[in-house]
Amino acid sequence: MEDVLTVSAALILFAHLLLSPSAASGGKVSAVIVFGDSTVDPGNNDHILTVAKGDFPPYGRDFDGGVATGRFSNGRLVTDFISEGFGLPSSVPAYLDTSCTIDQLAMGVSFASAGTGLDDLTADISVFNMYLNSFQNVIPVRQQLEYFMEYKERLAVARGASEADAIIAGALYYFSIGNNDIGVNYFLLPQRRAQFSPPEYAAFLVGIAGAAVREVYRLGGRKIQLTGILPVGCVPAMRTVNLHRPGECMEDFNQFALLFNAELRKAASKLNGELSEARVVYSDMYRLVSTIIANPLKYGFENVAQGCCGTGLIEASFLCVLDEPLTCEDTDKYVFFDSVHPTERIYKMEASQMLNTSLAAFL
């Protein structure tokens, strides 16, 4: 009952934030600027040569009348709800979407790319290689930071240096990345396991995350959130490939995720002490999702082991297609939309939790 009340209170707060005058005026956050992987990619991969795309139905079936934008979900992502919670636009556009003007991007932009990771090697490989034996070209973190520098220059030309600097300083910088480093790179491929133990690889990844935060700070960012990763061992695709305990979560994946999250939390605290006038916060996504998976009926969910799309066991990206007769009718009953990515309902719950906790200081 206590967990239900906690989630309900968070949702009530979220609704209040959307309606409050301070939220309507944008509050203390000028824009939401996003770096990461498929959990926050609104469609950048639509514009690059890769098979890791979600720009076709049934993706987006609940997004603005059923538009498949490239988001790997049935609707909006966590960053879309966060943007709306700050009184900014209800969706954060992809930087590589040429239909968006710099004035639109001034209120929010995502550089995220599905399939990428903190480790450059992760951007060069993915689970799709196993199906197609082909190179996947996605956007590594270093390239996302280069796009951010380009964005800053474009913003200065469009708005003038003074206004551009104010937008950059007032923006929230949201990092959501690491899922593929652990779920694909470390456990499914041999190279990094031969080089690093799990604690060493977690430290390696968190070091890259810290360097990215310092670069954002150098370029003017002051409000930064580092977001922990999901219980990657419990996504339907991992349950499917669990040969020792078919259909159950892969606990070694989850233990690694917890290890990474703990190191990321420590890094956020350290960066707070290191970067003058910056506020670096950590937000945990693991606990909410794992709590729902452990007791779904309490939160109104019926299926935690399968995705909505197709059989829900392996379908993601190009394997998730519109004419799949097994795709579910009621997405709200599912934690996952495909075999890897959460549903819009989960993202909305995560956003409301963050706005009530880690992001409350920025409201």
Side-chain angles (χ1 to χ4, degrees):
M1 178 61 73
E2 182 178 343
D3 288 335
V4 175
L5 292 175
T6 300
V7 172
S8 298
L11 292 174
I12 292 169
L13 174 67
F14 180 63
H16 170 71
L17 292 171
L18 297 183
L19 298 173
S20 68
S22 61
S25 64
K28 298 177 182 179
V29 170
S30 57
V32 175
I33 298 178
V34 185
F35 303 90
D37 55 25
S38 57
T39 57
V40 287
D41 179 0
N44 282 306
N45 277 20
D46 299 352
H47 307 281
I48 62 175
L49 182 61
T50 177
V51 295
K53 297 180 187 288
D55 59 342
F56 46 84
Y59 290 114
R61 72 184 196 183
D62 299 312
F63 184 94
D64 193 22
V67 180
T69 61
R71 289 167 170 82
F72 284 81
S73 190
N74 58 300
R76 288 192 284 166
L77 305 177
V78 62
T79 40
D80 297 320
F81 289 110
I82 286 170
S83 177
E84 188 175 45
F86 282 119
L88 296 166
S90 60
S91 62
V92 177
Y95 182 65
L96 297 183
D97 184 351
T98 55
S99 69
C100 293
T101 67
I102 189 61
D103 287 321
Q104 290 173 300
L105 299 178
M107 292 183 287
V109 61
S110 176
F111 304 103
S113 177
T116 199
L118 289 160
D119 186 347
D120 275 359
L121 181 62
T122 305
D124 292 339
I125 53 90
S126 80
V127 70
F128 297 106
N129 291 31
M130 301 176 191
Y131 292 115
L132 300 182
N133 192 29
S134 63
F135 177 75
Q136 176 176 328
N137 179 26
V138 298
I139 308 169
V141 172
R142 55 180 172 75
Q143 180 65 56
Q144 293 183 31
L145 290 167
E146 289 172 13
Y147 281 141
F148 173 52
M149 287 187 279
E150 180 183 88
Y151 163 81
K152 185 180 175 183
E153 292 170 0
R154 291 177 59 194
L155 197 60
V157 171
R159 296 292 187 90
S162 179
E163 184 178 349
D165 287 346
I167 292 171
I168 294 298
L172 169 69
Y173 296 85
Y174 186 102
F175 285 82
S176 178
I177 193 165
N179 296 284
N180 297 312
D181 295 302
I182 294 171
V184 177
N185 190 348
Y186 191 82
F187 277 107
L188 301 186
L189 296 164
Q191 183 172 336
R192 292 310 192 206
R193 274 183 291 129
Q195 293 176 289
F196 301 106
S197 68
E200 289 170 341
Y201 192 54
F204 173 73
L205 296 175
V206 170
I208 297 169
V213 169
R214 291 184 186 94
E215 180 65 3
V216 165
Y217 176 82
R218 185 186 71 81
L219 293 168
R222 294 295 181 268
K223 303 170 184 178
I224 302 165
Q225 170 158 312
L226 293 172
T227 308
I229 64 174
L230 299 165
V232 290
C234 288
V235 303
M238 293 306 172
R239 292 175 184 262
T240 300
V241 299
N242 188 348
L243 301 180
H244 299 292
R245 303 179 71 180
E248 296 190 21
C249 297
M250 299 186 76
E251 290 306 325
D252 49 349
F253 283 56
N254 285 345
Q255 289 303 310
F256 200 158
L258 288 169
L259 173 64
F260 171 82
N261 288 346
E263 292 301 312
L264 196 64
R265 183 190 295 270
K266 292 177 188 176
S269 178
K270 180 181 177 182
L271 288 162
N272 257 323
E274 176 185 327
L275 304 177
S276 175
E277 298 181 356
R279 181 71 182 268
V280 184
V281 299
Y282 169 82
S283 184
D284 181 75
M285 292 176 67
Y286 187 105
R287 183 177 179 183
L288 174 64
V289 175
S290 61
T291 299
I292 292 170
I293 288 173
N295 200 345
L297 294 179
K298 181 185 288 189
Y299 301 94
F301 292 93
E302 295 181 3
N303 195 320
V304 302
Q306 296 168 276
C308 167
C309 182
T311 64
L313 301 176
I314 61 168
E315 291 88 348
S317 189
F318 63 90
L319 295 177
C320 182
V321 292
L322 177 62
D323 60 358
E324 172 56 66
L326 298 177
T327 296
C328 76
E329 293 184 4
D330 188 354
T331 316
D332 282 348
K333 294 178 180 178
Y334 284 70
V335 170
F336 297 98
F337 184 66
D338 61 17
S339 67
V340 177
H341 303 99
T343 56
E344 179 185 66
R345 185 180 173 206
I346 289 290
Y347 282 130
K348 186 174 184 179
M349 293 173 71
E350 289 171 349
S352 64
Q353 175 181 270
M354 292 176 190
L355 288 163
N356 192 30
T357 54
S358 61
L359 296 178
F362 300 137
L363 287 166

